[in-house]
Amino acid sequence: MRWTQSLIPTQKETPSDAQIISHQLMLRAGLIRQLTAGAYDFLPLGLRSLQKAMQIVREEMNAIGAAEVLLPALQPMELWQKTGRDVGYGDNLLKLKDRHGRLIVLGPTHEEVVTELVSAYVSSYKQLPLSVYQIQTKFRDEFRPRFGLLRVREFLMKDAYSFHANVESLNEVYDKFYGAYEKIFTRCGIPFVVVEAESGPIGGSASHEFMAACAAGEDTIVTSDKGNYAANVEKAQTGARPWTFGGEPKGELDKVHTPNLPGIEDVGKFLKVKPKNMLKTLVFRTDAKGPAQSSGVNPAWVVAVVRGDHEVNESKLKQAVAEQFHVGVQPLVDDPAVREKWAIGFVGPDAAIKAADAVLVVDPDAAQGGFWASGANETDYHVKYFNWFRECGDKLADPKKTVVADIRNAVAGDPSPKNDGGKLTASKGIEIGHVFKLGTKYSDALGANYLDDAGQQHPLIMGCYGIGIGRILIAAVESMHDEKGILWPAAIAPFSVVVTPIRYEGEIKAAADKLYEQLNAAGIDTILDDRDARPGFKFADADLIGFPVRLTVGDRGLKEGKIELKRRKAAEPEMVAVDNIIERVREALRA
RNA sequence: CGGGGCGUAGCUCAGUUUGGCAGAGCGUCUGGUUUGGGACCAGAAGGCCGCAGGUUCAAAUCCUGUCGCCCCGACCA
């Protein structure tokens, strides 16, 4: 490609709307342009990188025997109603009406569509396992698109789905996808870590996220300093944390008027108590059907308590409550019935003791003796010098009333769940890939069954596997740039080589043209900077865009029959004889 | 949806407080001089000041409404 024939609008100045470095550089390098919130034009250079990433993904998917398909973005609402995700997916589901008034979904993902497809043609265990994938545009009506390509409303995603007759087969194929993902991100040159993510219906390690470590990431990764554990903070377990409700009261219970203080931070400041010395008490409704019993089993309410500086993790809470009390937990909705029973915002743990139909779940760090500040169970009041045994009594020892369990998000400094003396550290990451064991959720809902060798019908067991193609570019730019611009890994650079003639005229022009032809003939994708511009201007653009190799053609080198080769990542250029240039470029691109 | 910020040339932004000719730098175009790390000189083009209404002799500037964009929060199989 000749520079003057392409569309490469580089900019010297940083666009004011761009916050994170990858967004700034991708705009400045002329890779993308924002059309509207969460939707971007891909310009020629951006598209080339995107296509290279797609090709790598495609090759690795093909290598593990996944068959490429292309499914419509336009999907009938009925399909989503069958799986309940017309509601379950929430407002991120982009809906529209056609001229006949039919409701259409612009697909945010394709479990429904692919399950419908496979169920139409797969009816025997002999056809399994089967894996299909596509690279296709997804639509999600994000509340707040942001950070350039990181969170957008329309984006390219590689989504793959596998179908199985048994869990062993699913596990086998899951491992293949896992391996393919490692190859993909390694080939793309992106530093990544794999973390345990939210467990699926299969249980165990049913889900892994591939995270590119970078400060701009939206996800928090928790890692053991022993190097043997990594998980998304949403999923991360903690090691054993000792607890005891014991300890003498530090003072008389002291009720304090605390009006107009919206958060725990504010209350803490007002009371002159640090959040880590406060109890955060949240109320959840259970899905228990029967009448509450005085013993505390089959409770209607769950009162969860964590330390003031910690966050309740709802999935951990759900698990603890399911194990101990055999009921599910629903998110609390703010309705008058709730307000009447609980002083929302001012609840204290003892309220659970007094209510016959409530149970108490306490995080170990909150189940400690000593000084606590807490809600007073009365609107606009808190108490100081809360003491567990004095305020709650021996119900704390009743397993039908009270349980101590890990119900909070992990934080830096927590013991590793491996219980090997490791401590957890926290860092930020961008989720670039996700592999997930789905189970039979979609095949059940859509009646996608197969016949086993005994002629019995069973729902297909499924896995799904996603990669955000655009996020590959973001992750690369976030992790590889300097003050001058992007440092593209060779595999996904828009062009591998830029040929930069010092002046595009005379014998320099002839030499540059010839070099450009040679590189093209050798199958090295090259852009020729044929602009009538001064060298410094061209160098600055080349560095900003970040082509891995720059070949500078000028009279200095030509006098000696040499071309200057400058690797973007190298500090200094080297002079290479014209005869050796192709070979040397290949070497530089491998490095 | 709650809170905050911003809409003026392709880009970055002044001008709005205190109403009075539409501005600068970068980029673009023309001519010239230049040419190894974002050159210089001279000239030029480019604007519904987001949009609509109002106040006023007069509105980029004040008022009302509205649309869009960015950030924080909430949301994110």
Side-chain angles (χ1 to χ4, degrees), chain A residues 73 81 260 318 367 393 422 513 533:
Chain A
Q81 287 162 343
N260 304 320
K318 271 180 194 171
D513 284 347

Side-chain angles (χ1 to χ4, degrees), chain A residues 564-591:
Chain A
E564 180 188 301
L565 184 152
K566 167 79 170 59
R567 290 178 55 217
R568 177 64 176 84
K569 293 176 183 172
E572 297 299 330
E574 55 185 293
M575 299 306 292
V576 179
V578 173
D579 290 345
N580 298 332
I581 196 72
I582 299 290
E583 189 190 339
R584 187 66 196 98
V585 165
R586 286 215 172 99
E587 280 173 24
L589 289 174
R590 276 196 295 272

Side-chain angles (χ1 to χ4, degrees), chain A residues 33-41 145 152-153:
Chain A
R33 175 182 165 85
Q34 182 178 31
L35 178 65
T36 183
Y40 283 81
D41 303 322
V152 279
R153 296 193 292 179

Side-chain angles (χ1 to χ4, degrees), chain A residues 24-151:
Chain A
Q24 295 172 355
L25 288 174
M26 290 173 84
L27 287 169
R28 286 188 53 210
L31 305 179
I32 56 171
R33 175 182 165 85
Q34 182 178 31
L35 178 65
T36 183
Y40 283 81
D41 303 322
F42 275 84
L43 278 53
L45 292 187
L47 181 61
R48 288 186 68 95
S49 283
L50 201 66
Q51 283 172 331
K52 287 190 177 180
M54 280 161 62
Q55 187 53 30
I56 289 170
V57 169
R58 190 170 270 130
E59 286 169 12
E60 296 301 335
M61 288 294 99
N62 292 344
I64 59 166
E68 186 168 7
V69 294
L70 182 58
L71 307 172
L74 220 59
Q75 308 173 3
M77 179 59 92
E78 287 75 22
L79 207 44
W80 287 76
Q81 287 162 343
K82 283 183 188 168
T83 61
R85 288 212 295 179
D86 55 330
V87 179
Y89 204 89
D91 290 334
N92 272 9
L93 195 62
L94 197 58
K95 303 160 206 131
L96 53 94
K97 257 187 198 165
D98 71 11
R99 63 166 68 191
H100 304 292
R102 289 182 292 232
L103 271 174
I104 301 284
V105 170
L106 288 182
T109 175
H110 280 68
E111 281 84 1
E112 281 82 357
V113 173
V114 78
T115 305
E116 191 279 336
L117 168 70
V118 169
S119 76
Y121 297 118
V122 173
S123 45
S124 162
Y125 73 97
K126 293 177 185 171
Q127 295 169 284
L128 299 173
L130 173 69
S131 298
V132 297
Y133 77 96
Q134 63 170 343
I135 299 173
Q136 187 257 8
T137 302
K138 301 285 184 258
F139 296 87
R140 295 186 185 179
D141 194 2
E142 295 285 348
F143 257 121
R144 188 149 84 83
R146 56 184 153 172
F147 300 148
L149 295 183
L150 187 56
R151 187 157 293 280

Side-chain angles (χ1 to χ4, degrees), chain A residues 404-462:
Chain A
V404 176
D406 173 23
I407 56 163
R408 66 161 170 83
N409 285 341
V411 296
D414 279 346
S416 163
K418 300 284 184 194
N419 286 314
D420 55 1
K423 287 234 177 305
L424 298 180
T425 57
S427 58
K428 290 287 179 183
I430 294 174
E431 181 186 347
I432 48 180
H434 196 166
V435 291
F436 199 96
K437 294 177 189 174
L438 279 175
T440 57
K441 177 178 174 183
Y442 296 95
S443 37
D444 281 336
L446 295 167
N449 300 317
Y450 72 96
L451 288 175
D452 67 15
D453 57 0
Q456 295 291 308
Q457 269 206 347
H458 304 281
L460 289 160
I461 296 172
M462 292 174 60

Side-chain angles (χ1 to χ4, degrees), chain A residues 331-580:
Chain A
L332 186 68
V333 285
D334 185 8
D335 65 43
V338 173
R339 291 257 163 200
E340 192 171 320
K341 187 170 181 73
W342 305 97
I344 298 300
F346 307 91
V347 181
D350 46 322
I353 302 296
K354 291 171 190 134
D357 56 353
V359 292
L360 184 62
V361 184
V362 187
D363 184 77
D365 288 344
Q368 305 287 342
F371 176 94
W372 291 108
S374 155
N377 298 311
E378 185 179 336
T379 299
D380 289 344
Y381 286 92
H382 282 80
V383 293
K384 293 166 89 166
Y385 305 106
F386 176 96
N387 178 273
W388 279 103
F389 270 116
R390 184 177 64 195
E391 266 55 78
C392 297
D394 54 11
K395 288 276 188 189
L396 291 177
D398 179 357
K400 288 180 175 173
K401 189 66 179 177
T402 304
V403 60
V404 176
D406 173 23
I407 56 163
R408 66 161 170 83
N409 285 341
V411 296
D414 279 346
S416 163
K418 300 284 184 194
N419 286 314
D420 55 1
K423 287 234 177 305
L424 298 180
T425 57
S427 58
K428 290 287 179 183
I430 294 174
E431 181 186 347
I432 48 180
H434 196 166
V435 291
F436 199 96
K437 294 177 189 174
L438 279 175
T440 57
K441 177 178 174 183
Y442 296 95
S443 37
D444 281 336
L446 295 167
N449 300 317
Y450 72 96
L451 288 175
D452 67 15
D453 57 0
Q456 295 291 308
Q457 269 206 347
H458 304 281
L460 289 160
I461 296 172
M462 292 174 60
C464 69
Y465 318 89
I467 290 180
I469 305 292
R471 285 187 173 183
I472 291 178
L473 305 196
I474 299 177
V477 177
E478 283 290 330
S479 52
M480 286 161 288
H481 63 268
D482 62 15
E483 67 286 347
K484 289 179 180 170
I486 302 170
L487 299 153
W488 280 114
I492 55 172
F495 287 94
S496 299
V497 176
V498 57
V499 171
T500 308
I502 288 301
R503 283 176 299 284
Y504 197 57
E505 61 187 26
E507 62 182 62
I508 296 173
K509 175 175 190 289
D513 284 347
K514 189 179 168 196
L515 179 60
Y516 172 61
E517 295 303 329
Q518 283 177 326
L519 287 158
N520 278 333
I524 297 168
D525 60 327
T526 304
I527 185 166
L528 173 65
D529 193 347
D530 57 346
R531 293 177 296 176
D532 178 21
R534 295 161 63 87
F537 187 85
K538 293 183 178 182
F539 294 156
D541 267 355
D543 288 342
L544 172 61
I545 296 164
F547 304 112
V549 169
R550 188 185 76 210
L551 296 177
T552 310
V553 183
D555 31 22
R556 284 185 200 167
L558 289 180
K559 257 185 263 174
E560 305 166 26
K562 287 183 174 171
I563 304 287
E564 180 188 301
L565 184 152
K566 167 79 170 59
R567 290 178 55 217
R568 177 64 176 84
K569 293 176 183 172
E572 297 299 330
E574 55 185 293
M575 299 306 292
V576 179
V578 173
D579 290 345
N580 298 332

